[in-house]
Amino acid sequence: MNDEFINSLTSILSDRISFAEVVRSNYSKGEDVFDPVLPAAVVFPNSTEEVSSILKLCNQYKVPVIPFGAGTSLEGQVVGIKEGIAMSMENMNKILEINPQDFDCKVQTYVTRIKLNDSLKDQGVFFPIDPGADATIGGMCSTSASGTMAVKYGTMKTSTIGLTVVLPTGEIITTGSRAKKTSSGYNLTNLFIGSEGTLGVITEIRLRLHPIPENIVSGICHFNNLKEAVNTVKEIVQLGIQVARVELLNKDQMEISINFSNLKNLKITPTLFFEFHGSEKSNIESVNSVSELCDDNNGFDFDFSSDLKKRNELWKARHDVYWSVKSLKPNARVYATDACVPITNLVECIKFAENEISKDGLRAPIVGHVGDGNFHVTILYDPEIPEDMKKIREFSDKLVKKSLELGGTATGEHGIGLEKRKLMTDLYSENDLENMNWVRECFNPESLLNPSKAIPTPGRCGESKRPVHISDDVAASKMVARKSGVAV
């Protein structure tokens, strides 16, 4: 970055730019296992218009930009780049609209899910996407987050109905509307959901909301083994029984959570946590049906309650899984990865993960959103032992390949980030990846926005069999054509 660029950036932001090492360190990575990379500077825009001005300037001087939210991502999506800047969105934290009668709202990108729901609760509505961490809504869009309630309410792709996005050129676009459905045009909203900051900077989001349930009941049931627990969930889903949450904790994770969260009267066995949303009558019917299925699969000590305190204790323990594992060893770190397969293949995939971890001599408890075939492995390791990290990387690669073998995907909700990019060639065909790169080139022709993330870069990373790099002139002409509405 030259002095001219810095002076121009300072004229836009005044004192909302920092070159201090301690500040740059805070925005150098997320909750991942990658080594931090300090950006050259950190900027703090206040509005969509300022984001636009910053990106226009970065585009002019060819300075890379890493959009940064709460930093809760797990796959390296916000690892810095030393010749670029980190753009912290923390000043854009306002709730702009709440329309309870139409079940939608509009928020700025840094509003967190907890802040949003605190603001919604007296309106009789709530936002259901719950990835565990108090992530920002913009970050959740970028990684297509889902979480514990996805089995009933879906993911960010189903909950996001419109966006304001600033493209790398500084152009501001809006997608979607307040209408509940549309059959007009391409679905640009979902193009940006899950793009991990490589196509544009999301500044505002319009979300679909849901009525707060009349009655909420939580339940828990222990099982002798994983197969019985997962078979129970499979039958619940196949029979169409309405559950809002159904989470699996394997035996190892149950022991850790019981100790960390001080849970009383629970067994150290594979366990399902349930939650039911509906009327009191419908919840009773659902609880009775689930109880019967648990019995049929040798479940025991099935218990349910609508008591708020008891319910909160149960789900807090589930959300504290990451910290419970991290607490096992001083100065230890946790590598978290996820896999997602058809529910009929879930037992095989989880058992594969347990067996491979056992071979490597590592401790890796497992939790899962088993209602949609998604599970997480949290591996405890010592950062001072390089051999551990090598084992973890090899395990992660093997788990992805096994998931693909079973008809699944590389990640259900964490995203691709840095490490899993090399496995995208196993997940997608050469033509698929070329088309993805073509889309990225159209929106991000200079590859300045979150470079080297999410998908392999042909001609640059050596990860694609056939380089398809589009020249700057071609990319520019396509951008002009796109703006004018010409097919390209």
Side-chain angles (χ1 to χ4, degrees):
M1 294 192 299
N2 61 32
D3 290 342
E4 186 178 346
F5 170 78
I6 293 171
N7 290 336
S8 299
L9 198 58
T10 303
S11 69
I12 296 170
L13 296 165
S14 185
D15 60 349
R16 287 177 286 115
I17 178 172
S18 178
F19 301 94
E21 183 174 345
V22 65
V23 176
R24 291 186 293 133
S25 178
N26 288 339
Y27 298 90
S28 61
K29 69 186 295 291
E31 290 288 339
D32 51 65
V33 299
F34 297 95
D35 293 331
V37 178
L38 273 63
V42 184
V43 298
F44 301 86
N46 285 341
S47 66
T48 297
E49 290 70 28
E50 283 191 348
V51 171
S52 173
S53 296
I54 294 166
L55 291 185
K56 284 179 182 177
L57 193 63
C58 290
N59 189 54
Q60 178 184 346
Y61 287 91
K62 305 297 183 282
V63 176
V65 182
I66 310 294
F68 200 102
T72 58
S73 58
L74 295 168
E75 294 290 352
Q77 285 93 340
V78 294
V79 170
I81 183 166
K82 63 182 179 180
E83 66 270 24
I85 63 172
M87 181 185 288
S88 171
M89 310 304 291
E90 60 197 73
N91 292 342
M92 301 182 66
N93 57 12
K94 297 180 180 63
I95 296 172
L96 303 174
E97 295 177 23
I98 299 175
N99 305 297
Q101 293 180 326
D102 287 325
F103 298 101
D104 71 74
C105 70
K106 187 177 183 181
V107 302
Q108 288 186 313
T109 187
Y110 201 83
V111 171
T112 65
R113 65 175 187 86
I114 291 179
K115 177 181 178 178
L116 177 58
N117 276 320
D118 284 345
S119 299
L120 295 175
K121 60 187 177 184
D122 63 349
Q123 305 281 332
V125 293
F126 81 115
F127 175 64
I129 309 304
D130 175 16
D134 190 21
T136 63
I137 302 299
M140 290 166 64
C141 287
S142 292
T143 58
S144 191
S146 50
T148 61
M149 292 197 224
V151 66
K152 179 176 175 68
Y153 297 102
T155 71
M156 287 303 292
K157 284 187 180 294
T158 53
S159 295
T160 305
I161 57 178
L163 297 169
T164 300
V165 183
V166 184
L167 301 183
T169 57
E171 179 188 357
I172 300 170
I173 66 170
T174 58
T175 73
S177 70
R178 291 187 60 207
K180 297 307 176 188
K181 65 179 183 178
T182 180
S183 59
S184 61
Y186 297 136
N187 189 343
L188 291 179
T189 300
N190 276 1
L191 178 62
F192 289 100
I193 306 298
S195 63
E196 302 186 34
T198 61
L199 300 181
V201 177
I202 297 170
T203 60
E204 295 176 1
I205 306 102
R206 187 171 294 281
L207 298 167
R208 179 176 286 111
L209 305 176
H210 296 264
I212 294 175
E214 172 190 329
N215 182 256
I216 299 177
V217 176
S218 288
I220 190 167
C221 187
H222 299 294
F223 292 84
N224 296 305
N225 54 60
L226 279 170
K227 184 177 181 179
E228 292 172 348
V230 176
N231 280 343
T232 301
V233 178
K234 181 173 66 174
E235 291 170 9
I236 289 170
V237 172
Q238 290 172 342
L239 291 173
I241 299 170
Q242 292 298 305
V243 288
R245 287 168 161 163
V246 52
E247 297 285 300
L248 170 71
L249 281 68
N250 75 343
K251 181 179 178 180
D252 196 12
Q253 184 58 60
M254 275 302 292
E255 181 178 10
I256 295 168
S257 291
I258 286 170
N259 293 329
F260 181 82
S261 299
N262 197 27
L263 300 175
K264 305 294 186 183
N265 304 317
L266 297 185
K267 305 290 193 305
I268 302 174
T269 67
T271 302
L272 293 178
F273 290 6
F274 300 99
E275 189 165 275
F276 306 88
H277 293 181
S279 66
E280 183 175 356
K281 180 180 178 181
S282 68
N283 280 347
I284 290 173
E285 292 175 352
S286 295
V287 167
N288 288 338
S289 297
V290 168
S291 178
E292 290 177 8
L293 292 176
C294 289
D295 286 341
D296 291 344
N297 286 284
N298 301 314
F300 57 95
D301 291 349
F302 180 80
D303 185 34
F304 68 94
S305 174
S306 57
D307 179 75
L308 179 61
K309 181 180 178 182
K310 191 172 181 179
R311 193 170 77 233
N312 287 344
E313 286 177 354
L314 186 68
W315 290 107
K316 186 176 189 308
R318 168 60 185 89
H319 285 143
D320 284 346
V321 159
Y322 177 89
W323 302 108
S324 72
V325 176
K326 198 168 186 177
S327 72
L328 293 175
K329 188 176 179 181
N331 301 316
R333 296 178 68 181
V334 172
Y335 173 77
T337 190
D338 77 320
C340 191
V341 297
I343 194 169
T344 51
N345 294 331
L346 188 57
V347 172
E348 182 178 349
C349 199
I350 293 177
K351 292 300 292 184
F352 172 85
E354 287 188 326
N355 291 337
E356 291 299 320
I357 282 294
S358 178
K359 290 178 187 177
D360 291 332
L362 297 170
R363 189 167 191 185
I366 291 174
V367 298
H369 313 313
V370 284
D372 51 16
N374 189 198
F375 70 94
H376 305 262
V377 184
T378 49
I379 308 173
L380 189 72
Y381 74 100
D382 187 337
E384 300 300 320
I385 304 177
E387 186 63 25
D388 280 0
M389 180 49 65
K390 181 182 177 183
K391 291 178 181 178
I392 288 170
R393 292 298 186 205
E394 290 174 350
F395 163 77
S396 179
D397 291 354
K398 286 187 285 189
L399 180 59
V400 169
K401 291 179 183 294
K402 183 64 174 180
S403 299
L404 300 182
E405 176 190 318
L406 295 173
T409 184
T411 173
E413 57 188 22
H414 286 187
I416 293 296
L418 285 170
E419 181 63 23
K420 288 184 177 179
R421 287 185 310 143
K422 65 180 184 291
L423 299 170
M424 291 282 275
T425 53
D426 295 317
L427 180 58
Y428 294 104
S429 71
E430 186 174 308
N431 286 338
D432 289 341
L433 289 173
E434 288 177 359
N435 286 325
M436 289 183 195
N437 273 286
W438 185 87
V439 170
R440 180 171 59 182
E441 291 278 5
C442 285
F443 284 91
N444 187 10
E446 302 287 350
S447 196
L448 295 175
L449 198 56
N450 218 6
S452 302
K453 310 285 175 63
I455 59 174
T457 307
R460 296 174 188 160
C461 297
E463 294 165 333
S464 182
K465 294 178 182 177
R466 186 172 62 198
V468 292
H469 175 59
I470 302 173
S471 70
D472 291 341
D473 288 342
V474 174
S477 66
K478 288 184 177 181
M479 183 66 75
V480 170
R482 181 182 61 77
K483 288 181 179 180
S484 60
V486 177
V488 292

